[in-house]
Amino acid sequence: MPDYETALSKIDAIEAEMKSAGMWSPKPPPPEAFDFHTAFAMDTMPFAHWLQFVFIPRVREIIATQSDFPSRSEVGSQAIREFDGDNEASGLVPLLIDFDRFIERG
């Protein structure tokens, strides 16, 4: 059975770090940005927007409905690529890597 309490703690920490680092947007991208066709919506929005407006809500939905988590997560790996050299994201990347590990442990 998934550990929803731990998942909630991890997603809350990711959200808090994004806000603390100034990466939290006050408004969502335009509706057409949600019509993406690539992983992490790389074709329609910045990675930080995808985290805020797609990833975090999806994880919260899984928790709220007590659904199954995916068997793999690559959000931490993508964060390493996206935020390489970005000091503002230095606290966020380890949280996302930890989320990947949590998902893969099941």
PDB file of all heavy atoms in Angstrom, residues 3-13 59-60 63:
ATOM      1  N   ASP A   3       2.466   4.845   0.674  1.00  0.00           N
ATOM      2  CA  ASP A   3       2.605   5.645   1.894  1.00  0.00           C
ATOM      3  C   ASP A   3       2.199   7.086   1.567  1.00  0.00           C
ATOM      4  O   ASP A   3       3.036   7.912   1.225  1.00  0.00           O
ATOM      5  CB  ASP A   3       4.049   5.567   2.390  1.00  0.00           C
ATOM      6  CG  ASP A   3       4.268   6.317   3.692  1.00  0.00           C
ATOM      7  OD1 ASP A   3       3.359   7.043   4.137  1.00  0.00           O
ATOM      8  OD2 ASP A   3       5.366   6.181   4.257  1.00  0.00           O
ATOM      9  N   TYR A   4       0.912   7.360   1.643  1.00  0.00           N
ATOM     10  CA  TYR A   4       0.377   8.665   1.259  1.00  0.00           C
ATOM     11  C   TYR A   4       0.848   9.782   2.182  1.00  0.00           C
ATOM     12  O   TYR A   4       1.056  10.904   1.745  1.00  0.00           O
ATOM     13  CB  TYR A   4      -1.156   8.622   1.206  1.00  0.00           C
ATOM     14  CG  TYR A   4      -1.667   7.644   0.190  1.00  0.00           C
ATOM     15  CD1 TYR A   4      -2.340   6.492   0.583  1.00  0.00           C
ATOM     16  CD2 TYR A   4      -1.471   7.852  -1.168  1.00  0.00           C
ATOM     17  CE1 TYR A   4      -2.808   5.584  -0.351  1.00  0.00           C
ATOM     18  CE2 TYR A   4      -1.934   6.950  -2.111  1.00  0.00           C
ATOM     19  CZ  TYR A   4      -2.596   5.814  -1.694  1.00  0.00           C
ATOM     20  OH  TYR A   4      -3.051   4.916  -2.626  1.00  0.00           O
ATOM     21  N   GLU A   5       1.024   9.469   3.446  1.00  0.00           N
ATOM     22  CA  GLU A   5       1.483  10.485   4.405  1.00  0.00           C
ATOM     23  C   GLU A   5       2.893  10.967   4.057  1.00  0.00           C
ATOM     24  O   GLU A   5       3.167  12.170   4.055  1.00  0.00           O
ATOM     25  CB  GLU A   5       1.440   9.917   5.826  1.00  0.00           C
ATOM     26  CG  GLU A   5       1.719  10.949   6.888  1.00  0.00           C
ATOM     27  CD  GLU A   5       1.539  10.375   8.284  1.00  0.00           C
ATOM     28  OE1 GLU A   5       0.575   9.629   8.513  1.00  0.00           O
ATOM     29  OE2 GLU A   5       2.381  10.695   9.139  1.00  0.00           O
ATOM     30  N   THR A   6       3.770  10.042   3.724  1.00  0.00           N
ATOM     31  CA  THR A   6       5.124  10.416   3.317  1.00  0.00           C
ATOM     32  C   THR A   6       5.091  11.177   2.000  1.00  0.00           C
ATOM     33  O   THR A   6       5.797  12.172   1.827  1.00  0.00           O
ATOM     34  CB  THR A   6       6.024   9.172   3.202  1.00  0.00           C
ATOM     35  OG1 THR A   6       6.094   8.544   4.486  1.00  0.00           O
ATOM     36  CG2 THR A   6       7.420   9.529   2.736  1.00  0.00           C
ATOM     37  N   ALA A   7       4.269  10.720   1.072  1.00  0.00           N
ATOM     38  CA  ALA A   7       4.146  11.412  -0.221  1.00  0.00           C
ATOM     39  C   ALA A   7       3.684  12.847  -0.020  1.00  0.00           C
ATOM     40  O   ALA A   7       4.218  13.778  -0.639  1.00  0.00           O
ATOM     41  CB  ALA A   7       3.183  10.665  -1.128  1.00  0.00           C
ATOM     42  N   LEU A   8       2.720  13.047   0.858  1.00  0.00           N
ATOM     43  CA  LEU A   8       2.220  14.395   1.136  1.00  0.00           C
ATOM     44  C   LEU A   8       3.320  15.259   1.743  1.00  0.00           C
ATOM     45  O   LEU A   8       3.495  16.418   1.358  1.00  0.00           O
ATOM     46  CB  LEU A   8       1.007  14.336   2.063  1.00  0.00           C
ATOM     47  CG  LEU A   8       0.374  15.679   2.409  1.00  0.00           C
ATOM     48  CD1 LEU A   8      -0.096  16.412   1.154  1.00  0.00           C
ATOM     49  CD2 LEU A   8      -0.782  15.474   3.373  1.00  0.00           C
ATOM     50  N   SER A   9       4.067  14.708   2.656  1.00  0.00           N
ATOM     51  CA  SER A   9       5.170  15.437   3.268  1.00  0.00           C
ATOM     52  C   SER A   9       6.198  15.855   2.213  1.00  0.00           C
ATOM     53  O   SER A   9       6.685  16.991   2.211  1.00  0.00           O
ATOM     54  CB  SER A   9       5.827  14.565   4.341  1.00  0.00           C
ATOM     55  OG  SER A   9       6.981  15.176   4.823  1.00  0.00           O
ATOM     56  N   LYS A  10       6.502  14.953   1.302  1.00  0.00           N
ATOM     57  CA  LYS A  10       7.489  15.248   0.259  1.00  0.00           C
ATOM     58  C   LYS A  10       6.971  16.306  -0.710  1.00  0.00           C
ATOM     59  O   LYS A  10       7.699  17.229  -1.077  1.00  0.00           O
ATOM     60  CB  LYS A  10       7.878  13.967  -0.480  1.00  0.00           C
ATOM     61  CG  LYS A  10       8.703  13.035   0.379  1.00  0.00           C
ATOM     62  CD  LYS A  10       9.150  11.811  -0.363  1.00  0.00           C
ATOM     63  CE  LYS A  10       9.939  10.884   0.537  1.00  0.00           C
ATOM     64  NZ  LYS A  10      11.090  11.486   1.175  1.00  0.00           N
ATOM     65  N   ILE A  11       5.726  16.207  -1.110  1.00  0.00           N
ATOM     66  CA  ILE A  11       5.195  17.177  -2.074  1.00  0.00           C
ATOM     67  C   ILE A  11       5.020  18.541  -1.402  1.00  0.00           C
ATOM     68  O   ILE A  11       5.218  19.583  -2.035  1.00  0.00           O
ATOM     69  CB  ILE A  11       3.906  16.648  -2.751  1.00  0.00           C
ATOM     70  CG1 ILE A  11       3.776  17.227  -4.160  1.00  0.00           C
ATOM     71  CG2 ILE A  11       2.671  16.906  -1.966  1.00  0.00           C
ATOM     72  CD1 ILE A  11       4.795  16.759  -5.134  1.00  0.00           C
ATOM     73  N   ASP A  12       4.670  18.560  -0.128  1.00  0.00           N
ATOM     74  CA  ASP A  12       4.598  19.834   0.608  1.00  0.00           C
ATOM     75  C   ASP A  12       5.975  20.495   0.672  1.00  0.00           C
ATOM     76  O   ASP A  12       6.095  21.714   0.517  1.00  0.00           O
ATOM     77  CB  ASP A  12       4.074  19.617   2.033  1.00  0.00           C
ATOM     78  CG  ASP A  12       2.575  19.388   2.095  1.00  0.00           C
ATOM     79  OD1 ASP A  12       1.861  19.639   1.098  1.00  0.00           O
ATOM     80  OD2 ASP A  12       2.108  18.945   3.167  1.00  0.00           O
ATOM     81  N   ALA A  13       7.017  19.702   0.892  1.00  0.00           N
ATOM     82  CA  ALA A  13       8.380  20.238   0.957  1.00  0.00           C
ATOM     83  C   ALA A  13       8.815  20.786  -0.400  1.00  0.00           C
ATOM     84  O   ALA A  13       9.461  21.843  -0.482  1.00  0.00           O
ATOM     85  CB  ALA A  13       9.352  19.162   1.433  1.00  0.00           C
ATOM     86  N   VAL A  59       0.241  14.673  -8.126  1.00  0.00           N
ATOM     87  CA  VAL A  59       0.610  13.931  -6.913  1.00  0.00           C
ATOM     88  C   VAL A  59      -0.447  14.145  -5.835  1.00  0.00           C
ATOM     89  O   VAL A  59      -0.869  13.197  -5.162  1.00  0.00           O
ATOM     90  CB  VAL A  59       2.018  14.321  -6.415  1.00  0.00           C
ATOM     91  CG1 VAL A  59       2.310  13.674  -5.060  1.00  0.00           C
ATOM     92  CG2 VAL A  59       3.078  13.932  -7.432  1.00  0.00           C
ATOM     93  N   ARG A  60      -0.901  15.374  -5.676  1.00  0.00           N
ATOM     94  CA  ARG A  60      -1.946  15.644  -4.678  1.00  0.00           C
ATOM     95  C   ARG A  60      -3.239  14.886  -5.003  1.00  0.00           C
ATOM     96  O   ARG A  60      -3.925  14.409  -4.102  1.00  0.00           O
ATOM     97  CB  ARG A  60      -2.194  17.146  -4.556  1.00  0.00           C
ATOM     98  CG  ARG A  60      -1.018  17.884  -3.922  1.00  0.00           C
ATOM     99  CD  ARG A  60      -1.392  19.306  -3.530  1.00  0.00           C
ATOM    100  NE  ARG A  60      -0.244  20.028  -3.017  1.00  0.00           N
ATOM    101  CZ  ARG A  60       0.287  19.861  -1.810  1.00  0.00           C
ATOM    102  NH1 ARG A  60      -0.202  18.969  -0.986  1.00  0.00           N
ATOM    103  NH2 ARG A  60       1.326  20.605  -1.419  1.00  0.00           N
ATOM    104  N   ILE A  63      -2.833  11.286  -3.969  1.00  0.00           N
ATOM    105  CA  ILE A  63      -2.953  11.197  -2.515  1.00  0.00           C
ATOM    106  C   ILE A  63      -4.418  11.301  -2.097  1.00  0.00           C
ATOM    107  O   ILE A  63      -4.908  10.492  -1.304  1.00  0.00           O
ATOM    108  CB  ILE A  63      -2.102  12.281  -1.830  1.00  0.00           C
ATOM    109  CG1 ILE A  63      -0.604  12.023  -2.086  1.00  0.00           C
ATOM    110  CG2 ILE A  63      -2.402  12.354  -0.333  1.00  0.00           C
ATOM    111  CD1 ILE A  63       0.293  13.195  -1.750  1.00  0.00           C
TER     112      ILE A  63
END
